Amino acid sequence: MLTWKDVISFATKGNPTPDKIIQKTEKEWKAQLTQEQFRITRLKGTERPHSGELCSIYDEGQYNCVCCNTPLFDSTIKFESSSGWPSFTQPIKENAIKYVKDTTLGMIRVEVLCNTCNAHLGHIFPDGPEPSGLRYCINSESMVLDTK
């Protein structure tokens, strides 16, 4: 189980090696994604709180990256954080997520990206439920729920 200490270590000393790496041109990403998905995943945008379709869905399945379909989170670790974005306590695999120190907006945060294609997903915070204490705060537009 990942802890905040692990997250900080990844963000400062290097991330786990992904199973594979997918790279596409901006033109290829634009052809594949909606305008909003592109803005969020490729340009590091964010959706308005409580606006994302996946925010209030708790169906069984796994949440995959909208860009490359890499499994990111399992529905069993999703929780209601009242933050306005889908929230999770752990990634589906340790190497599914990349962690990057983010100093935008005049504060220090940890950005989370898909470790396979570098899609911006959201941010992680140390204020989640036990036992991990982690809250992965993820944009709905960055994911697709696979219920198969």
Side-chain angles (χ1 to χ4, degrees):
M1 173 179 298
L2 291 175
T3 65
W4 186 245
K5 183 178 177 181
D6 298 320
V7 169
I8 296 303
S9 179
F10 287 144
T12 58
K13 297 178 183 171
N15 284 286
T17 303
D19 293 339
K20 63 182 175 179
I21 295 174
I22 294 175
Q23 295 179 330
K24 294 184 180 184
T25 66
E26 183 174 312
K27 184 177 180 180
E28 289 172 316
W29 287 125
K30 281 185 175 180
Q32 173 186 329
L33 302 169
T34 68
Q35 187 175 17
E36 185 69 350
Q37 289 168 338
F38 181 84
R39 183 185 72 79
I40 290 169
T41 62
R42 309 321 304 177
L43 302 177
K44 300 181 184 270
T46 191
E47 61 201 15
R48 288 178 295 113
H50 304 286
S51 67
E53 179 182 323
L54 298 177
C55 205
S56 60
I57 293 177
Y58 289 89
D59 297 344
E60 287 185 26
Q62 69 183 24
Y63 292 84
N64 297 343
C65 176
V66 73
C67 295
C68 68
N69 208 38
T70 295
L72 301 171
F73 302 100
D74 187 86
S75 62
T76 60
I77 48 87
K78 185 178 183 190
F79 70 98
E80 173 53 57
S81 68
S82 300
S83 67
W85 291 274
S87 297
F88 304 88
T89 58
Q90 290 286 303
I92 206 162
K93 286 175 64 176
E94 182 176 288
N95 69 344
I97 303 293
K98 179 185 283 187
Y99 304 89
V100 178
K101 182 178 176 182
D102 177 1
T103 57
T104 61
L105 304 178
M107 63 180 96
I108 298 174
R109 302 180 293 171
V110 177
E111 176 188 12
V112 290
L113 304 157
C114 173
N115 206 17
T116 300
C117 72
N118 285 322
H120 171 75
L121 303 173
H123 289 84
I124 184 171
F125 302 96
D127 61 1
E130 293 300 328
S132 75
L134 299 177
R135 175 173 57 95
Y136 288 79
C137 190
I138 309 297
N139 289 288
S140 286
E141 293 288 339
S142 297
M143 302 181 294
V144 56
L145 176 59
D146 184 354
T147 57
K148 295 177 187 175

